[in-house]
Every structure is written in C-alpha cells, then in structure tokens.
C-alpha cells in the first residue's frame, strides 16, 4: 500500500525532473565549452574549433548564465502563478531548445552570451513552479527524498555534459541536447497539476482528481480528509490587502536568511568553481589522468554523492548530514591546498582530494538549499519567495565563478582552495546553530518552526 501511494508521486516528480535534467545540461555545458574555445589542449577531437576567446571572455562564459538566472527567479512566481505549475514547466522547455540551436550556430562570443543568457533566464523562471510542485504533490514521509531528486536531476544533467564533452565537440553536444527538453514536454503533459494550485483557483473537482491520482489512483472518498485539510489551510492563508505584508513577517525573512546562508557555504566553499573550472584545475594540480577523463569522473562522483544524500536524508535528517559532510569537504580542500603549496600533494593526492570534496559537498550542502526552498515558506509567498531565494543563490554562484580567476591570480590555486576550505569548515559550525530539522515534518509543522510558534528542531539535536 505504501509503494502504491508513493509510485504516482515518484512518477510525477521524475517527469518534472526531466526539465531539471535539461537545465542541468545547460549548467554543465560551459565546463566543456571553456577548454575547447580557450584552446587548453590540442587534439584531434577538439583542435578543429576556430572560435577562440580571451581570458576575460572566458570569465563571462563561466558566469553570465548565473547572472541572468536571478532575473528569471524574481519574475518566476509572478509570471508562472497564473498558468499553474504544470503548464509553466511545459512551456519553459521551449527556450532551452532555442538556446541549444543558438549554441550550435554560434560564431562569436556574443551569440554564446545570448545562448547562456537564455538558459539562465529560463532556469530562473522554472524555480517557482518546479520547487513548489514537488512540495505540494508529495506526502511528508516522501517529500525529503523526492525533493532531493530535484538536485539529482540537475547533477545528472551536468554529468551527461561531461560525458558527451569527452567524446564530441561542443557544437555536436549542443545539437544532442535538444532532445531532452522535448522528452520533458511529453512527460510533464502526462502528470496532474498541483492540487494546492487548483484549490487556490477554486477548481475543487480538479484538485480532487489530482489528489486521487497522486495518492495511488484511489477513490475520491480516500482523499476527502486531505482535501478538506488543504482547503482549511489555504483559507487561513488568504492574501493580505498589501501584497508586500507577508514579506515583512518572520515566517518569510527567517527561512530566507537560512536558505541564503546555505547557498553561501555551498558556492563560496568551492562547490561551484570546482565544477565549472574542473578541466583547468585537474591540469594544474598535475592529475595523472587526462583532465577530460578526470572531469567525467568528477561528474560521476557528484552524482553518486547526490544519490547517497537522497538515500540517507530520511534516516539521518538534514542537519546531521549537512554538518558532517561539509566539515569533511572543507578539511579535504585545505589538505589539497597544503599539498600543492608545499609540493608533496600533486598528482594522485590532489586528484583524489578534489574528487572527495565533490563527493562530500554533493552529499548535503549542494542539495540542501533547494530541498529547503520548497518547504520553508508559507503558502501565500511560496511561489515568489522560491524564485527570490533561487535568484539569490545564483547571484552567489555568479560571484563565486567570476571571482575565481581573480582569486587564482592573487592567491594561486593553493590559496584559493584553502580559502574555500576555511569557508566550508566555518560554515559547517554555523549550520549547527542555524539549521532546524525539517525532515519528516508536514508543511504546516515546518511553517510553525519559522513562525516561532513551535521550534522543536533543536530539542533532540543537541548531540551531532
């Protein structure tokens, strides 16, 4: 019976994850694009590309998509709310297809910037419908690991790019990438709309049918109690006369600051720059493996870490998992930095160290902010707040990637990695104080924690 209830929620979540897979491919694409247009290596595979970019242009290639994401995030809730989660997710696949076509025909940096901007803006727009959809269709006992699969979908998309980039030139990869958004359109069209959104539009019968589908294709009488509870919650959360009023409450700014803190640790703790500049980093630390092959392994390690997060989070909770893995990642970063600074850690030591940091960051901190976004905000601000939080996270990602080249020139790679390690270690300690445990709690219970009415999060978490 439990599996019968979980199966439709898994199917609906994975249909949505195809969109995130397509978006993840846009994030991983600059990693294979940069070394080919910057001529980091000459080979039969990549040596035929005539387009070459300067160091300054490369810094924008690594980050411009992350700069345009926040604009989409800020508009995400407002633009997608009237159309619903499902229709919005279907439509947002179209700009991704257009972007891949622009990539394929690009003959100058300007067209690359245009394609990056399109993917970034579309990625921002999808934040609200994607993050709220999974929170609104899942039951509390499934929401944790199904929320984590969202980031897994993105990471899988990144890995696919690393894999394709080790075999094909970047233009061919761009052409292949057009297939996934088309598959996502087909899959999403087969799953139901969010019952929360349908009730908010007064479509009670449609909400009832949606719940019946999502709870295991059951009869209407089996969902009547849950439907009544949802109606009661939504009635209490009527939109205030002043639309900005909910954003002045503790129930918004407390979770918003928490999510921003988690994003900061992840991005400035080295997670983002390691992924984007993997090829160059592996080459500089003297990797015994070809830097492209090492990057493929990096993508696989990230995927395994995310999978472990999905499997463990239900049993360990988010807080313990985040504190322990982020601390380990920080320590390993510092060891790799010391090894390269003093000369004893080049080669195998640095290769395994960088792979370990990728693994541990993806066991928790890489996924955690996105898991929190879908559940920590009250219903009346959830769509807009999700977009705002995602936008803030991407701005931090932009700053981390754009600053990497300058940090590298000032501090060298060892100094930059040491800085990332210190941020991870200190951030891990802060997580003990700031992060409540939300695993297994209903959206109503999570809301009470951040409203300050009920904060049981730390009572049983004094020992980590």
């Amino acid at each position: 019976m439990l599996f019968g209830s979980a199966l439709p929620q898994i199917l609906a979540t994975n249909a949505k994850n195809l969109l995130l897979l397509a978006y993840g491919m846009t994030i991983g694409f600059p990693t294979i694009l940069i070394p080919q247009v910057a001529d980091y290596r000459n080979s039969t595979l990549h040596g035929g590309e005539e387009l070459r970019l300067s160091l300054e242009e490369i810094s924008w290639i690594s980050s411009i998509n992350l700069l345009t994401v926040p604009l989409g995030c800020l508009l995400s809730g407002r633009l997608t709310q009237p159309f619903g989660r499902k229709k919005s997710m279907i439509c947002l696949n179209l700009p991704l297809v257009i972007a891949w076509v622009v990539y394929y025909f690009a003959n100058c940096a300007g067209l690359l910037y245009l394609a990056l901007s399109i993917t970034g803006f579309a990625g921002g727009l999808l934040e609200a419908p994607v993050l709220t959809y999974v929170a609104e269709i899942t039951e509390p006992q499934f929401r944790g690991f199904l929320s984590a699969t969202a980031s897994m979908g993105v990471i899988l998309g990144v890995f696919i790019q690393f894999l394709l980039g080790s075999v094909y030139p970047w233009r061919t990869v761009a052409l292949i990438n057009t297939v996934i958004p088309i598959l996502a359109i087909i899959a999403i069209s087969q799953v139901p709309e969010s019952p929360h959104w349908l009730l908010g539009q007064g479509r009670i019968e449609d909400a009832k049918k949606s719940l019946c589908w999502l709870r295991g294709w059951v009869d209407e009488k089996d969902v009547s109690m849950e439907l009544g509870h949802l109606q009661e919650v939504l009635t209490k959360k009527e939109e205030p006369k002043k639309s900005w009023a909910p954003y002045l409450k503790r129930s918004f700014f407390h979770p918003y600051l928490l999510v921003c803190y988690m994003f900061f640790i992840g991005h400035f703790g080295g997670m983002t720059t390691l992924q984007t500049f993997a090829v160059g980093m592996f080459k500089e630390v003297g990797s015994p493996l070809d830097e492209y092959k090492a990057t493929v392994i990096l993508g696989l390690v990230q995927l395994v870490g995310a999978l472990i997060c999905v499997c463990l989070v239900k049993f360990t909770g988010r807080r313990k998992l985040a504190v322990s893995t982020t601390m380990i990642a920080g320590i390993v970063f510092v060891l790799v930095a010391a090894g390269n600074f003093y000369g004893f850690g080049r080669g195998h030591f640095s290769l395994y160290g960088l792979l370990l940091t990728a693994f541990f960051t993806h066991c928790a901190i890489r996924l955690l902010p996105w898991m929190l976004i879908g559940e920590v905000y009250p219903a009346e601000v959830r769509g807009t707040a999700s977009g705002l939080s995602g936008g803030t996270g991407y701005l931090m990602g932009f700053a981390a990637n754009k600053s990497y080249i300058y940090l590298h020139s000032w501090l060298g790679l060892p100094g930059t990695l040491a800085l990332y390690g210190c941020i991870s270690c200190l951030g891990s300690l802060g997580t003990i104080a700031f992060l409540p445990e939300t695993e297994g709690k209903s959206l109503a219970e999570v809301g009470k924690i951040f409203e300050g009415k009920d904060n049981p999060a730390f009572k049983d978490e004094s020992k980590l």
Side-chain angles (χ1 to χ4, degrees):
M1 183 65 182
L2 186 63
F3 177 76
S5 175
L7 179 59
Q9 297 172 58
I10 294 172
L11 292 175
T13 299
N14 283 323
K16 175 268 305 177
N17 284 346
L18 274 177
L19 173 56
L20 291 174
L21 176 70
Y23 177 58
M25 295 167 82
T26 72
I27 295 177
F29 190 71
T31 303
I32 67 170
L33 171 66
I34 287 171
Q36 294 183 40
V37 296
D39 198 21
Y40 284 170
R41 78 173 191 178
N42 293 314
S43 70
T44 304
L45 177 60
H46 304 301
E49 177 56 50
E50 296 181 357
L51 181 60
R52 290 289 179 261
L53 303 182
S54 68
L55 188 62
E56 180 64 24
E57 288 172 326
I58 290 296
S59 73
W60 284 107
I61 292 293
S62 71
S63 56
I64 196 170
N65 58 326
L66 300 178
L67 183 61
T68 57
V69 171
L71 177 60
C73 289
L74 290 174
L75 298 174
S76 182
R78 298 287 184 181
L79 292 183
T80 62
Q81 174 65 20
F83 302 102
R85 321 305 191 206
K86 179 179 174 178
K87 287 182 180 178
S88 298
M89 290 189 292
I90 290 174
C91 293
L92 287 171
N93 283 283
L94 300 178
L96 299 182
V97 174
I98 294 171
W100 291 126
V101 174
V102 173
Y103 269 126
Y104 181 75
F105 290 104
N107 57 5
C108 63
L111 286 177
L112 294 179
Y113 294 160
L114 174 61
L116 285 161
S117 299
I118 292 172
T119 59
F121 184 68
L125 285 178
L126 66 81
E127 294 296 333
V130 162
L131 294 173
T132 54
Y133 183 74
V134 67
E136 292 174 351
I137 67 168
T138 54
E139 296 173 276
Q141 64 267 34
F142 305 129
R143 194 175 66 246
F145 80 90
L146 288 178
S147 295
T149 63
S151 291
M152 249 194 98
V154 176
I155 295 163
L156 179 59
V158 172
F159 171 68
I160 290 173
Q161 293 304 277
F162 293 172
L163 191 61
L164 291 175
S166 68
V167 180
Y168 300 109
W170 64 271
R171 293 185 191 274
T172 304
V173 175
L175 197 60
I176 294 172
N177 289 345
T178 59
V179 175
I180 302 301
I182 296 172
L183 293 178
I185 291 173
I186 296 172
I188 296 171
S189 66
Q190 304 303 309
V191 300
E193 178 59 88
S194 160
H196 284 244
W197 184 84
L198 291 169
L199 284 175
Q201 302 298 307
R203 296 165 57 180
I204 298 175
E205 287 302 314
D206 288 337
K208 191 180 299 182
K209 292 177 182 177
S210 175
L211 270 179
C212 289
W213 195 99
L214 291 166
R215 298 301 176 254
W217 305 284
V218 296
D219 294 330
E220 292 184 357
K221 66 178 186 302
D222 296 317
V223 299
S224 58
M225 183 178 296
E226 182 178 1
L227 184 69
H229 176 68
L230 288 178
Q231 288 178 298
E232 181 181 350
V233 170
L234 290 174
T235 300
K236 291 179 180 179
K237 298 291 184 179
E238 291 179 354
E239 188 75 23
K241 293 181 180 179
K242 295 181 179 180
S243 60
W244 47 263
Y247 300 95
L248 300 179
K249 296 180 180 178
R250 173 191 172 95
S251 58
F252 165 73
F253 66 77
H254 183 186
Y256 175 71
L257 292 176
L258 173 64
V259 171
C260 289
Y261 176 74
M262 294 300 150
F263 272 128
F264 178 83
I265 299 171
H267 288 303
F268 289 95
M271 171 190 75
T272 305
T273 50
L274 174 58
Q275 177 177 287
T276 305
F277 296 96
V279 175
M281 281 191 185
F282 283 126
K283 185 174 183 178
E284 188 169 349
V285 300
S287 168
L289 281 180
D290 172 89
E291 56 266 26
Y292 281 86
K293 292 180 180 177
T295 301
V296 172
I297 296 174
L298 176 77
L300 181 60
V301 166
Q302 290 177 342
L303 188 61
V304 172
L307 179 61
I308 288 177
C309 176
V310 172
C311 296
L312 285 184
V313 69
K314 183 174 179 61
F315 304 101
T316 64
R318 298 160 193 207
R319 192 161 172 253
K320 290 180 180 178
L321 192 61
V323 170
S324 57
T325 56
T326 305
M327 176 63 75
I328 295 172
I331 292 172
V332 176
F333 256 134
V334 171
L335 291 175
V336 173
N340 278 267
F341 183 78
Y342 292 107
F344 66 82
R346 290 179 56 78
H348 286 89
F349 181 84
S350 293
L351 171 65
Y352 297 142
L354 291 177
L355 292 177
L356 276 175
T357 57
F359 172 76
F360 283 111
T361 55
H362 283 73
C363 281
I365 196 64
R366 172 66 177 83
L367 284 67
L368 184 59
W370 303 108
M371 295 165 64
L372 292 173
I373 282 176
E375 64 183 18
V376 295
Y377 295 112
E380 70 266 33
V381 300
R382 189 174 297 141
T384 301
S386 297
L388 179 62
S389 300
T392 304
Y394 281 110
L395 275 177
M396 291 183 184
F398 164 78
N401 270 356
K402 195 77 171 79
S403 64
Y404 170 75
I405 290 177
Y406 304 107
L407 287 174
H408 186 280
S409 65
W410 296 335
L411 305 175
L413 184 61
T416 304
L417 295 181
L419 176 62
Y420 292 157
C422 291
I423 291 174
S424 292
C425 290
L426 293 174
S428 175
L429 296 176
T431 300
I432 299 175
F434 303 136
L435 178 65
E437 184 57 73
T438 59
E439 178 60 32
K441 293 180 171 61
S442 68
L443 294 181
E445 291 171 329
V446 173
K448 289 181 180 179
I449 293 174
F450 291 104
E451 288 172 3
K453 297 178 181 177
D454 178 21
N455 196 343
F458 303 107
K459 292 181 180 178
D460 299 322
E461 296 292 334
S462 57
K463 295 181 180 180
L464 290 172

